[in-house]
């Protein structure tokens, strides 16, 4: 039997340009690394470039699993993190480096979902994350491209076409389709082909069973003349799709990505985005571009990205993270009920949600231990005008009427976080030292598949006995490990 001839999708040579950008070695563990490095960068004060670089490199080396890693790999991390995520700003003329707003934003908000959305929202070609020579190629090809925006627009167009055809399927896209039909086609990345046309092309290719990756195609060849693997060809589009999944914008099934159903507001924000960093616009008119001139734009790019860290731009859908079936006590406080039921919530509400969950946990703990008379007395005491140094007033349930004063520290992410640090304000640290054994920090980590709780009783004493690390920075930066602490079962309130 003769083998069936395979038809491959072809982008004409004059329209082919392979988009690429910094690809971090830690991509498979990106949430833990970003949270850890943001926290570590916030520990480093403004200082000389050499001193900041030394402390920054040491922080990378101390990331779990890195201690025995080759210096070359660690130095790759050192350049990749600021190139892609801009966690610090370096002024070589003044010999000063300082931690950026991006790192501070992630450290203070503890919301990786929102952080990655903001990162993707500003991420564009051309951008300061690229090397000057690569920037020249982008500009010469008249490329102006925001990957996340384009992908979402294509998926929305595809959904509309499928609906018009009477199909109940959702539009999806694979890394191969995104690579060949979007990323590496100048007609798309320069805006000459619309999202509607791209969606029609993808759907038409599927109907005709057209393939994409062809190892014999000259476009698949590396500089050494060998064929790149399919993974190598599609990795840049694949990275953006993966980042969009972690940002809770897309969900993946068998290599195909669809839009997250309950994130319509955020998806529309991307689809209707008209923001643009215009620092490279003047170069489009030039025939000969000096790389040194392009390098001068880089600080302006990172200033633009840092100023894009706007807390209220995206609203993390908390229900999509904690799960629809989770029971949370919402009867005791109207503002907690609003967090769970309202569609208008921001990352600021993450702390409120953590307090709600822990309040329910405390009530259930008292009920299990036979202290029903105390249940109604458990209350959230923190407010915009009153900060007693803790969030929840509960009870010990140990045969006494002693109170337990709880400070809740919550992080929200799509995947499980294994970085256990948090910040305590000067007032929280002072109150913890005064209350001593009746002061507890509840470290709550919420992810799509699990909720993990650690309880640190009397943090000042734990620091003095070397069970936790604490470093002064407008209060205390706390770090602890699972060597000394085990997770506590998180209880759901049930009447």
């Amino acid at each position: 039997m003769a083998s069936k001839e395979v038809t491959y999708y072809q982008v004409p040579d004059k329209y082919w340009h392979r988009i690429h950008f910094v690809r971090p070695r830690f991509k498979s563990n990106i949430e833990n690394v970003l949270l850890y490095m943001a926290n570590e960068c916030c520990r480093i004060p403004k200082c000389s470039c050499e001193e900041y670089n030394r402390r920054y490199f040491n922080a990378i080396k101390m990331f779990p699993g890195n201690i025995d890693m080759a210096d070359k790999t660690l130095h790759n991390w050192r350049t990749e993190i600021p190139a892609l995520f801009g966690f610090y700003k370096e002024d070589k003329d003044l010999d000063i480096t300082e931690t950026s707003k991006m790192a501070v934003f992630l450290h203070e908000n503890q919301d990786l979902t929102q952080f990655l959305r903001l990162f993707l929202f500003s991420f564009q070609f051309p951008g300061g994350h690229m090397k000057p020579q690569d920037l020249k190629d982008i500009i010469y090809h008249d490329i102006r491209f925001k990957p996340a925006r384009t992908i979402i627009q294509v998926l929305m167009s595809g959904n509309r076409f499928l609906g018009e055809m009477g199909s109940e399927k959702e539009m999806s896209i694979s890394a191969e389709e995104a690579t060949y039909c979007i990323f590496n086609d100048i007609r798309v990345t320069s805006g000459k082909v619309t999202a509607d046309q791209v969606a029609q092309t993808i759907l038409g290719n599927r109907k005709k069973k057209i393939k994409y990756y062809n190892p014999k195609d000259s476009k698949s060849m590396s500089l050494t003349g060998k064929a790149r693997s399919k993974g190598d060809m599609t990795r840049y589009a694949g990275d953006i799709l993966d980042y969009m999944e972690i940002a809770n914008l897309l969900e993946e099934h068998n290599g195909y990505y669809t839009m997250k159903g309950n994130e319509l507001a955020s998806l529309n924000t991307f689809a209707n985005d008209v923001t643009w960093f215009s620092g490279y616009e003047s170069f489009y008119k030039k025939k000969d571009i000096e790389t040194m001139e392009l390098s001068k734009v880089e600080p302006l790019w990172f200033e633009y990205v840092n100023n894009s860290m706007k807390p209220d731009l995206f609203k993390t859908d908390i229900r999509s993270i904690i799960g629809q079936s989770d029971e949370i006590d919402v009867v005791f406080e109207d503002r907690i009920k609003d967090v769970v039921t309202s569609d208008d919530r921001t990352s600021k509400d993450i702390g409120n949600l953590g307090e709600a969950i822990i309040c329910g946990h405390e009530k259930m703990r008292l009920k299990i231990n036979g202290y029903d008379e105390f249940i109604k007395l458990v209350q959230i005491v923190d407010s915009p005008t009153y900060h007693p140094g803790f969030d929840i007033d509960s009870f010990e349930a140990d045969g006494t009427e002693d109170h337990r004063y709880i400070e809740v520290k919550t992080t929200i992410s799509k995947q499980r976080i294994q970085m256990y640090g948090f910040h305590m304000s000067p007032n929280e640290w002072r109150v913890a030292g005064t209350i001593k054994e009746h002061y507890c920090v509840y470290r709550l980590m919420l992810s799509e598949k699990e909720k993990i709780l650690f309880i640190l009783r009397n943090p000042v004493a734990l620091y003095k006995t070397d069970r936790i690390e604490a470093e002064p920075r407008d209060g205390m930066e706390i770090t602890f490990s699972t060597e000394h602490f085990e997770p506590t079962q998180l209880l759901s309130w049930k009447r």
Side-chain angles (χ1 to χ4, degrees), residues 127-156:
H129 54 87
M130 305 181 72
K131 295 178 180 179
Q133 184 56 52
D134 295 330
L135 280 169
K136 287 175 66 173
D137 291 338
I138 290 289
I139 293 168
Y140 285 147
H141 286 103
D142 203 34
I143 290 171
R144 293 176 178 86
F145 176 48
K146 297 190 85 170
R149 178 179 66 186
T150 302
I151 289 168
I152 288 170
Q153 289 173 341
V154 168
L155 290 172
M156 286 183 170

Side-chain angles (χ1 to χ4, degrees), residues 321-322 413-416 445-451:
I321 296 293
I322 65 172
S413 63
K414 184 174 178 63
Q415 301 172 10
R416 178 179 180 177
M445 291 170 284
L446 306 176
S447 64
E448 190 173 53
K449 295 183 179 179
E450 58 188 341
K451 298 179 287 295

Side-chain angles (χ1 to χ4, degrees), residues 1-8 216:
M1 181 183 293
S3 60
K4 190 174 181 180
E5 186 176 347
V6 177
T7 303
Y8 292 99
K216 296 180 180 179

Side-chain angles (χ1 to χ4, degrees), residues 21 64 112-113 169 174 224 296 362 367 384 416 494:
F21 52 90
L112 281 152
T113 301
K169 291 183 178 180
S174 68
T224 62
K296 291 179 181 178
E362 284 299 291
K367 181 178 180 179
R416 178 179 180 177
K494 296 180 179 64

Side-chain angles (χ1 to χ4, degrees), residues 19-23 84 123 125 129 183 236-237 239-240 243:
I19 289 280
H20 59 279
F21 52 90
V22 175
R23 191 169 193 267
L84 198 56
F123 191 72
F125 296 88
H129 54 87
F183 277 65
Y236 297 108
D239 280 359
I240 295 297
Y243 292 151

Side-chain angles (χ1 to χ4, degrees), residues 369-380:
N369 285 284
Y371 289 84
D372 295 57
E373 67 273 22
F374 290 141
I375 290 175
K376 291 184 179 180
L377 300 178
V378 175
Q379 60 179 324
I380 293 176

